[in-house]
Amino acid sequence: MGEKSDAPTYSLLLFFFFWYAGNVKYNEYNKAALDSVGGKTAGMTMTVSTMQLGVCAVYALLIWIIRLNPIKLCGLQAPDKQAFPKSKMGDIIKTLPVGFCSAAAHSSSVFALGGDPLFGQIVKAGEPVISAVVNTIFYGKPPTMLKALCLPIIVGGVAFASLKKGADGAYALKFDQTALLFGMMANGFAAFKGSENKKLMDDKDLKSRFGGVGNQFAVTEVLAFIWSLPVMFAVEGDKFSEFVDIFLTNKACMFNVTASGLTFYLYNELATMTVKAVGPVGSSVANTAKRVIVMLYMAAVTGKALTEEQQIGAAVAIGGVMLYSVIDNIFAGKSKKN
């Protein structure tokens, strides 16, 4: 079960709506931001990703300045107070790995979705597979046998989505390599981020000094921006002045970079709020529905329909993810009845 929420039902429904809306609009604004600087071949993808995190950092600072977090206005509720965290330098140092993984996961996702927004979403749906590998090897926490049995379904779905039938009727691998490579990297860093974040939150004193999940997320995004800056200048520093010129003279670039950063921050906050309220099974269903909605929306926005192989592969992979998320609960419930 999820944590008991003080939010009325209509507020929870609105949180769900704006979570979904924020997610699909982020994907749209992200693509538009990349297109405004010349697309995936322009050599400014890392710069766009970093500037999005810069928007997140500025938004976090504004929250601390006004000492109010307006996110609950989405559910027609009064904003929560959110003062600057009372964290010590040691707390920030402990948070650095989470900030790094957050930065890497975000940038990898931007590269993947810039390569192919639709196939990138399919690859990202395979996150539980990479998470299982990471948690088994690095944290000594393998998935249960039931969950492990679901992993080949997810892998099979992503693999089938990578195929395309030729004129002779034979299948061959055909996919965007950038979307596959960076989508897998995003999944890996997301898995490390989740495990490192859990270790962080197990420290009750540190958690108390942060003063809530909102502050912990805000600090993570600020650190993610700081981590991204040197990487951006190392790999795309020669393009930065060109990016600044485009940003200042192209209204579409200015709007989409800013809007993508802001929607990224907001939809992640809303996701955290809704998942806590509905519990693991409900969040599994919600995440599955979100993935489908995002793919359908981006197919409409880009005018690029999913191939038959991608439709089947996506359905299998996403279905496998949902089964992976709920299978232990299903069999645990049956065991109790018996």
Side-chain angles (χ1 to χ4, degrees), residues 20 23-24 27 36 54 74 108 115 151 157 165 174 192 238 240 258 308 313:
Y20 284 14
N23 197 295
V24 297
N27 278 271
S36 70
C74 292
S108 298
L151 297 178
K165 186 183 289 187
K174 187 171 183 180
F192 278 110
D238 60 330
F240 188 67
T258 304
E308 183 178 343

Side-chain angles (χ1 to χ4, degrees), residues 96-167:
L96 285 175
V98 180
F100 174 79
C101 292
S102 181
H106 176 68
S107 295
S108 298
S109 293
V110 174
F111 273 96
L113 298 176
D116 185 331
L118 299 179
F119 183 61
Q121 289 289 346
I122 297 173
V123 175
K124 288 185 66 181
E127 184 179 328
V129 178
I130 306 300
S131 178
V133 173
V134 167
N135 281 292
T136 299
I137 296 175
F138 294 95
Y139 298 95
K141 296 179 179 179
T144 64
M145 180 59 69
L146 290 172
K147 284 183 178 290
L149 291 173
C150 296
L151 297 178
I153 301 174
I154 303 171
V155 173
V158 175
F160 191 75
S162 305
L163 299 175
K164 188 174 182 179
K165 186 183 289 187

Side-chain angles (χ1 to χ4, degrees), residues 11-280:
S11 291
L12 189 58
L13 291 173
L14 286 170
F15 292 151
F16 266 109
F17 172 79
F18 284 109
W19 168 24
Y20 284 14
N23 197 295
V24 297
K25 294 305 288 185
Y26 163 72
N27 278 271
E28 180 183 349
Y29 294 144
N30 179 64
K31 183 181 184 307
L34 292 173
D35 288 345
S36 70
V37 297
K40 62 181 180 181
T41 60
M44 297 189 213
T45 303
M46 184 66 203
T47 304
V48 170
S49 168
T50 302
M51 292 303 105
Q52 289 173 345
L53 292 175
V55 172
C56 293
V58 170
Y59 183 75
L61 291 173
L62 289 174
I63 288 175
W64 289 328
I65 289 171
I66 66 173
R67 294 176 173 267
L68 287 174
N69 188 337
I71 192 66
K72 284 192 174 180
L73 290 174
C74 292
L76 303 180
Q77 292 187 292
D80 280 339
K81 292 182 179 179
Q82 187 168 322
F84 193 80
K86 299 177 181 178
S87 306
K88 301 177 180 178
M89 182 54 67
D91 299 336
I92 302 302
I93 292 173
K94 289 180 181 179
T95 311
L96 285 175
V98 180
F100 174 79
C101 292
S102 181
H106 176 68
S107 295
S108 298
S109 293
V110 174
F111 273 96
L113 298 176
D116 185 331
L118 299 179
F119 183 61
Q121 289 289 346
I122 297 173
V123 175
K124 288 185 66 181
E127 184 179 328
V129 178
I130 306 300
S131 178
V133 173
V134 167
N135 281 292
T136 299
I137 296 175
F138 294 95
Y139 298 95
K141 296 179 179 179
T144 64
M145 180 59 69
L146 290 172
K147 284 183 178 290
L149 291 173
C150 296
L151 297 178
I153 301 174
I154 303 171
V155 173
V158 175
F160 191 75
S162 305
L163 299 175
K164 188 174 182 179
K165 186 183 289 187
D168 59 353
Y171 282 102
L173 285 172
K174 187 171 183 180
F175 54 86
D176 188 290
Q177 294 182 9
T178 299
L180 179 64
L181 174 62
F182 283 97
M184 295 288 282
M185 288 174 60
N187 289 343
F189 284 117
F192 278 110
K193 175 189 171 184
S195 294
E196 289 297 322
N197 192 63
K198 186 178 184 305
K199 283 168 56 179
L200 202 65
M201 291 297 98
D202 284 343
D203 186 331
K204 302 301 181 185
D205 292 334
L206 181 148
K207 184 177 179 180
S208 175
R209 288 192 293 272
F210 265 126
V213 176
N215 265 344
Q216 193 266 334
F217 178 67
V219 170
T220 299
E221 293 310 294
V222 172
L223 292 175
F225 173 58
I226 295 171
W227 273 115
S228 295
L229 281 172
V231 179
M232 179 193 76
F233 283 114
V235 300
E236 295 178 359
D238 60 330
K239 292 276 189 177
F240 188 67
S241 60
E242 183 181 347
F243 170 81
V244 172
D245 288 340
I246 296 172
F247 184 83
L248 295 177
T249 58
N250 186 326
K251 290 183 179 179
C253 177
M254 184 181 294
F255 172 79
N256 286 300
V257 170
T258 304
S260 57
L262 188 58
T263 50
F264 176 78
Y265 192 106
L266 295 176
Y267 92 70
N268 274 289
E269 268 205 305
L270 287 164
T272 301
M273 291 164 59
T274 52
V275 165
K276 283 176 63 179
V278 301

